[in-house]
Amino acid sequence: MMPVYQQRCAICHGVDGEGSNEGPALNDLERMAGFSLYDLYNTLDPETDSIHTVDIDGDLTGLQRWALAVTVAAFPVANQLPPSSDLATRYPGLLGLPGMATTKPAELDPTLQQALMWWRGNPHLVRTLIPPLISAIGLLQLAETDYRGGDITAAYGKLMLAYRDGYRPLRQELLIRDRVLVEQLQVQWQQLRGGLIGGASSTEVIAAFQNLRADLNLAHSKLEPPAMGEERYLWTAALFALAIGLGALLWWGLRRQKRTRL
């Protein structure tokens, strides 16, 4: 989205977000930590934006506004090395959607703030850390937010992105685990898509969003590495007991030999 930024934003905010007399700096770490990605998105919404002119954001699609928000969020951490500790794995909720989009870094403690700011500036790396279905669930939550705000185009774009990048790559694997669930999910995707296009009632569409997210959570749990089930637990317990028994026999045999020698 840098070309769009250069065309519409750089004249006021600078080529690299350094700011000018016309607009504030976008590479100021402390200032930008006070905005969530969703806040940045809303500053480009012509219906709520009281700062920019229609020439700046009047014809932007929802996806373009999100892309610009992510582009701008990267300025404060451009070319910075990642945080020293691997907070992505220690605090997975830090990167999940919609939390990553709606959280203001300034509201976090300094260490988490540093990590979130860096990850916001490197979204291409975030994708590799979040399970696809969890990402799809987050996108659906954002799509529902767009829908509630009246932006059906943006909601539809996120719905299709969630399907294409989050669900479809795992469909065959999930089909092996639970065919009935896959068939149910296919119906739900189609119903939600049809509801958005066909103008279904808001109650129906919102319920469809919530039902789809719930079943995607179920699908994610089915694709998770299996926990130690009862059968595996019994085998482990049996092997453990066998090891104790062999140890006891060995101890008894050594003790008997010792007594014989004495």
Side-chain angles (χ1 to χ4, degrees):
M1 284 302 292
M2 280 302 290
V4 176
Y5 174 85
Q6 297 299 341
Q7 293 169 8
R8 304 196 184 195
C9 312
I11 190 172
C12 292
H13 295 288
V15 175
D16 297 311
E18 69 273 15
S20 69
N21 292 332
E22 301 296 329
L26 300 176
N27 62 359
D28 184 326
L29 187 64
E30 183 176 356
R31 178 175 181 272
M32 296 302 287
F35 299 100
S36 68
L37 289 175
Y38 192 56
D39 291 332
L40 298 174
Y41 169 87
N42 281 329
T43 62
L44 297 168
D45 185 345
E47 294 186 5
T48 59
D49 180 16
S50 60
I51 300 174
H52 303 104
T53 65
V54 175
D55 293 337
I56 298 295
D57 58 17
D59 62 345
L60 294 175
T61 66
L63 287 176
Q64 287 176 319
R65 290 199 293 271
W66 275 113
L68 276 173
V70 172
T71 298
V72 168
F75 287 142
V77 292
N79 303 317
Q80 287 188 15
L81 294 175
S84 57
S85 59
D86 190 7
L87 296 176
T89 55
R90 287 171 53 197
Y91 304 102
L94 189 68
L95 303 180
L97 290 171
M100 185 178 183
T102 57
T103 300
K104 297 178 181 179
E107 297 175 345
L108 304 174
D109 69 54
T111 304
L112 292 176
Q113 177 179 325
Q114 178 195 11
L116 181 56
M117 290 294 288
W118 189 86
W119 285 115
R120 286 202 326 187
N122 295 273
H124 60 292
L125 299 177
V126 173
R127 180 177 296 183
T128 65
L129 299 173
I130 302 177
L133 290 180
I134 296 301
S135 178
I137 292 167
L139 283 168
L140 287 174
Q141 180 67 62
L142 294 176
E144 182 182 332
T145 300
D146 287 336
Y147 176 79
R148 289 175 182 269
D151 194 341
I152 296 178
T153 301
Y156 183 82
K158 292 183 183 63
L159 170 67
M160 298 314 296
L161 185 63
Y163 178 84
R164 185 191 68 203
D165 294 348
Y167 172 72
R168 191 171 63 184
L170 297 175
R171 183 177 180 275
Q172 287 302 120
E173 184 180 351
L174 183 59
L175 198 59
I176 298 173
R177 305 287 181 91
D178 193 329
R179 178 177 292 273
V180 174
L181 179 58
V182 170
E183 293 173 352
Q184 182 173 315
L185 282 167
Q186 286 298 122
V187 172
Q188 289 175 319
W189 285 110
Q190 293 171 3
Q191 287 179 340
L192 183 50
R193 179 175 178 271
L196 287 175
I197 296 175
S201 70
S202 60
T203 301
E204 293 174 328
V205 172
I206 290 172
F209 270 119
Q210 294 172 348
N211 291 336
L212 180 54
R213 289 202 306 272
D215 278 351
L216 285 177
N217 263 312
L218 178 59
H220 172 67
S221 68
K222 289 182 177 293
L223 294 178
E224 283 284 273
M228 183 180 289
E230 182 178 353
E231 181 178 350
R232 184 178 173 185
Y233 174 82
L234 290 174
W235 273 108
T236 302
L239 290 173
F240 182 68
L242 178 61
I244 292 176
L246 289 174
L249 287 172
L250 179 60
W251 173 83
W252 182 79
L254 291 174
R255 185 183 175 100
R256 185 177 180 185
Q257 287 180 2
K258 186 176 180 180
R259 286 181 176 176
T260 303
R261 289 173 185 173
L262 290 175

